[in-house]
Amino acid sequence: SSLPWYRRLARGGAIAVGGLGLLLSVALHEPIQIQPMLLSIAGPATTERPMPIRRVDPTSRLRGWRLLAAEVDRARAELRARGLEPVLATERWTQAAELRFYCVGHPPVHCLGVMLGDRDSQYDLWRPNPIADEADYRGRTFLLAGMELDRLEYAFDAYEPRRIVSYHENGQLIAEWTIVVAHGFRGFGEKKGIKPD
């Protein structure tokens, strides 16, 4: 007599797990559909936390890269029209990978993260790069995306005004980056903290 009870429990458990799996699959593949629920959990945007959705939606970090790449491509085209071929650089290796993938022509993108306290990455090993091979880049114009510029002021002669790239979904700010053109690369000098060859 316990067999029918056990089968009902097993069937109910299988249906519940299947339904939960389906819900999670939809949430991961179509997060915009559940944004209202996530926003109610995350709370309202504040000055200190302008993108609260990022606290509860890990997939938000996967979106907006096409927009950023399009803005970087636009800035590259403007610089080329002025006779400059910029060096592309980001703060994090993940940003460098996304821009390399989404920018037109898949241009080289360097990661300066180790200069800003980020961990080492494969970008530090690929040569030439602006950290290990400063002389190859000295005097060049850089297009910096997603950088903490106050920590790099000493490395360039001049900066053009910052451009803010904001990615929204359903009226909510999901991601934001800064793009800056920096002229006259000076190098990192003693601040680079890497061992000489």
Side-chain angles (χ1 to χ4, degrees), residues 45-104:
T46 64
T47 306
E48 297 81 29
R49 191 175 287 144
M51 296 172 277
I53 191 80
R54 294 174 75 89
R55 290 178 43 225
V56 295
D57 180 7
T59 68
S60 64
R61 290 165 174 77
L62 304 175
R63 300 194 300 278
W65 296 109
R66 288 180 208 274
L67 174 67
L68 177 61
E71 293 298 323
V72 167
D73 285 338
R74 184 176 292 114
R76 287 169 63 207
E78 290 170 3
L79 288 168
R80 284 185 181 138
R82 291 160 53 187
L84 299 168
E85 184 60 43
V87 176
L88 299 184
T90 65
E91 180 174 339
R92 303 194 184 285
W93 64 270
T94 50
Q95 296 169 336
E98 296 286 0
L99 287 180
R100 175 78 188 245
F101 184 81
Y102 285 112
C103 282
V104 172

Side-chain angles (χ1 to χ4, degrees), residues 142-182:
F142 278 56
L143 184 54
L144 305 173
M147 290 283 190
E148 289 185 33
L149 294 175
D150 56 329
R151 296 169 67 189
L152 282 179
E153 282 183 34
Y154 67 94
F156 295 91
D157 290 334
Y159 294 89
E160 293 187 14
R162 301 174 187 208
R163 303 180 195 189
I164 304 298
V165 179
S166 301
Y167 176 70
H168 293 83
E169 290 174 351
N170 295 329
Q172 296 295 319
L173 181 61
I174 304 296
E176 194 167 76
W177 303 272
T178 302
I179 296 177
V180 175
V181 175

